[in-house]
Amino acid sequence: MARQRGLRFPDGFLWGTASSSYQCEGGNTNNQWYRWEQRGQILTGEQCGEACDWWENAEDDFALAEQMEHNALRLSLEWSRIEPAEGQWDSAPLDRYRAMLTDLRHRHIKPIVTLHHFTDPLWFTDRGGFEDEANIRYFVRYVTRAVQSLQDLCDFWVTINEPNIYAFMGYVLGSFPPGEHDTTRAIHVLRNLMQAHVEAFYAIRRLQPQSEIGYCLHYHILDPANELSPLDRSVAGIQDTFFTWAAIRAAETGHFTFPLNLLLPPIPHAPGSRDYHGVNYYTREMVRFDPTRPAEVFGRRFVHPNTVRNDPGKGVDFGEIYPYGIYRVLKSLYHRTRGNKPIYITENGFSDAQDDRRPRAILEHLAMIHRAISEGIPVSGYLYWTLVDNFEWAEGWGVRFGLVELDPETQDRIPRSSASMFGEICRANAITEEIVERYAPKALDFIFRATNGAAQQVTV
Ligand code: BGC
């Protein structure tokens, strides 16, 4: 036992990683992403294939998480396995999920289960997917079935991962299926996903009154390129509203903000339909007024020059590493929702194959979260994206977010230095000066100054 300067996190804080079925399981051939991939739409031309082989061997990676003393792990269920054709249910996948969740619990790792992480069964896509409000009932029926089967093993549910990314990437930028460029359809899809969340929330609540239920949104900082330009400021503000805060407001009140409310009907029973706020935060972008971009409400986004960056993808620039952004997001969310629910960081991660920026990035983001907590914002957990390098949607295998490096050909794993650092933080429930000195000494000043004197003596 030694005493040293550090930032201690609240007792019971959840520490772990997040992942999704398609990106990790392997062998998923019955959803719209597989079809997309078969059509050669992945920018590298790669295929997900066996992914991280979790369908066979997830437990080996869960053992790594246990060694790192994680106490939580977020994974998703693959709807297209559980209901491979409309109204046909397969019990074998549910047995496999039961085995995974049981294994996690034996390792004292709390399972956090996402019910929808970007993938839809093909039959659902062919019926119009979330473009059609009438299809929400299929999602709720699947959720009910899945929760009935797994509720003795899980009491923490994420209904839908990032409705805003699903709508924006699929229907505005077109880099996710169905590859559309149609802003009106995008906002209808966003609305239907929010309604799907609300209905799923009540379906789960009825089955499992004590569970924690919410959804995660992607929070993206959008700053005006020129603070002094009213046009830059207003397009950045409009993009920010469309991308993030409109969905939050709809979930809180059932109503979309003007002018979206002119197009989108209210969502019944929305107020109160979640137990926590799930925050996925990665980066910020700058926005400049650009009259040639009507689909993006006349804003051209770009990465702030001269900043520390993630490794780029082939199509997406994963952008700036901007720790202060997570603090800004937490403050903003807390104030806009009047601090009404606990907050979990359900994803935060960095693509860095060499692992030469990740340790510092993790430390600085955690320091910013700690600052938010010390100012009274109720953050209750942090899930790093992701445990093992996995198949990155439109980008394939090229970008590496894992704490553990994966060779998808051989399935060999090599833990990165970040893995042991994060393990030490989880074990200590704190960032200590000694950890920072060993893994990212250049972060010392930022960590202990930017947290406004919240450092204390901690025993580890
Ligand atoms: C998604 C993950 C994805 C990550 C990195 C998040 O928006 O939920 O599935 O891998 O970003 O791009």
Side-chain angles (χ1 to χ4, degrees):
M1 290 283 198
R3 281 178 75 70
Q4 53 178 292
R5 196 157 64 127
L7 300 173
R8 177 168 291 292
F9 285 78
D11 289 345
F13 199 76
L14 292 185
W15 292 104
T17 56
S19 57
S20 86
S21 55
Y22 191 66
Q23 294 175 278
C24 293
E25 287 176 357
N28 275 310
T29 58
N30 193 25
N31 63 37
Q32 94 282 29
W33 269 94
Y34 180 73
R35 184 186 276 169
W36 183 249
E37 185 186 293
Q38 295 303 299
R39 290 180 181 161
Q41 302 277 18
I42 307 299
L43 292 165
T44 51
E46 289 165 320
Q47 304 202 349
C48 181
E50 291 312 306
C52 313
D53 195 29
W54 275 23
W55 200 243
E56 301 298 328
N57 286 310
E59 288 80 350
D60 291 351
D61 286 337
F62 297 168
L64 293 176
E66 182 185 14
Q67 281 160 26
M68 292 179 234
E69 297 196 33
H70 297 182
N71 59 19
L73 186 142
R74 175 176 163 226
L75 51 72
S76 76
L77 306 184
E78 184 55 42
W79 179 7
S80 66
R81 288 189 193 268
I82 295 169
E83 190 180 4
E86 194 209 312
Q88 285 178 28
W89 304 93
D90 188 350
S91 60
L94 286 166
D95 291 343
R96 176 69 188 119
Y97 289 122
R98 288 191 67 78
M100 288 189 200
L101 302 189
T102 304
D103 184 81
L104 285 171
R105 288 166 64 98
H106 284 153
R107 298 178 192 280
H108 304 288
I109 297 176
K110 182 179 180 67
I112 296 177
V113 174
T114 310
L115 291 146
H116 185 276
H117 194 127
F118 295 164
T119 53
D120 300 319
L122 281 174
W123 63 263
F124 182 77
T125 301
D126 293 341
R127 280 186 158 273
F130 287 105
E131 287 178 48
D132 186 351
E133 188 184 335
N135 289 339
I136 292 172
R137 66 197 156 113
Y138 295 113
F139 176 66
V140 178
R141 187 176 66 175
Y142 142 73
V143 166
T144 304
R145 180 72 69 129
V147 173
Q148 274 167 341
S149 307
L150 301 173
Q151 61 184 330
D152 56 324
L153 299 172
C154 176
D155 60 5
F156 193 129
W157 304 96
V158 177
T159 54
I160 299 180
N161 181 68
E162 298 183 340
N164 52 346
I165 286 282
Y166 179 103
F168 184 69
M169 300 296 266
Y171 293 86
V172 178
L173 294 190
S175 45
F176 279 19
E180 298 290 340
H181 301 275
D182 182 338
T183 311
T184 308
R185 269 160 86 188
I187 59 176
H188 277 98
V189 167
L190 177 64
R191 185 220 166 262
N192 290 343
L193 286 164
M194 299 312 296
Q195 181 169 333
H197 157 73
V198 170
E199 292 190 23
F201 172 89
Y202 290 110
I204 304 171
R205 177 55 86 239
R206 275 191 292 276
L207 290 167
Q208 211 184 6
Q210 304 309 327
S211 54
E212 280 188 272
I213 314 162
Y215 68 93
C216 336
L217 207 67
H218 191 100
Y219 292 77
H220 200 80
I221 299 266
L222 292 158
D223 276 340
N226 176 358
E227 261 298 332
L228 300 175
S229 155
L231 283 173
D232 287 3
R233 283 218 311 272
S234 54
V235 286
I238 294 169
Q239 282 195 355
D240 197 27
T241 302
F242 275 31
F243 188 72
T244 308
W245 302 109
I248 299 283
R249 181 151 191 270
E252 295 293 312
T253 65
H255 298 278
F256 283 85
T257 21
F258 178 81
L260 298 178
N261 60 347
L262 303 177
L263 284 172
L264 302 176
I267 298 174
H269 312 298
S273 66
R274 61 177 150 178
D275 300 318
Y276 63 86
H277 300 285
V279 170
N280 295 359
Y281 169 74
Y282 286 85
T283 190
R284 83 156 158 184
E285 283 178 297
M286 314 307 290
V287 189
R288 193 183 295 291
F289 173 70
D290 181 344
T292 66
R293 298 205 175 219
E296 292 167 61
V297 285
F298 304 108
R300 183 172 58 80
R301 289 171 295 112
F302 64 94
V303 179
H304 195 301
N306 309 320
T307 48
V308 183
R309 305 276 270 258
N310 286 280
D311 293 343
K314 214 170 153 93
V316 174
D317 186 335
F318 283 90
E320 180 182 356
I321 295 177
Y322 180 55
Y324 188 53
I326 202 160
Y327 172 78
R328 288 175 60 191
V329 162
L330 290 169
K331 288 283 265 194
S332 196
L333 176 63
Y334 182 74
H335 288 298
R336 286 174 195 251
T337 57
R338 297 185 180 82
N340 63 359
K341 296 281 182 324
I343 300 173
Y344 292 92
I345 308 300
T346 35
E347 286 180 31
N348 172 231
F350 313 96
S351 71
D352 174 13
Q354 299 306 318
D355 205 43
D356 53 14
R357 283 142 287 153
R358 185 182 288 106
R360 180 171 181 174
I362 293 177
L363 287 165
E364 293 189 348
H365 281 73
L366 286 174
M368 286 289 100
I369 294 165
H370 189 279
R371 174 169 167 185
I373 294 172
S374 69
E375 291 173 13
I377 300 178
V379 185
S380 304
Y382 175 87
L383 304 176
Y384 178 79
W385 182 275
T386 186
L387 179 57
V388 178
D389 287 338
N390 58 37
F391 190 77
E392 176 56 34
W393 304 110
E395 299 286 336
W397 289 107
V399 285
R400 302 309 192 103
F401 279 91
L403 293 174
V404 176
E405 182 184 338
L406 170 79
D407 179 338
E409 295 293 317
T410 60
Q411 288 294 324
D412 287 344
R413 276 128 168 99
I414 305 174
R416 296 187 164 105
S417 156
S418 292
S420 46
M421 182 196 76
F422 189 57
E424 290 180 39
I425 296 170
C426 301
R427 189 169 312 130
N429 195 32
I431 297 174
T432 64
E433 193 161 10
E434 198 264 327
I435 293 176
V436 184
E437 266 165 2
R438 232 165 348 105
Y439 288 97
K442 290 195 177 133
L444 266 174
D445 188 47
F446 178 90
I447 287 176
F448 290 106
R449 203 138 47 79
T451 46
N452 278 347
Q456 48 183 211
Q457 291 294 309
V458 296
T459 307
V460 286

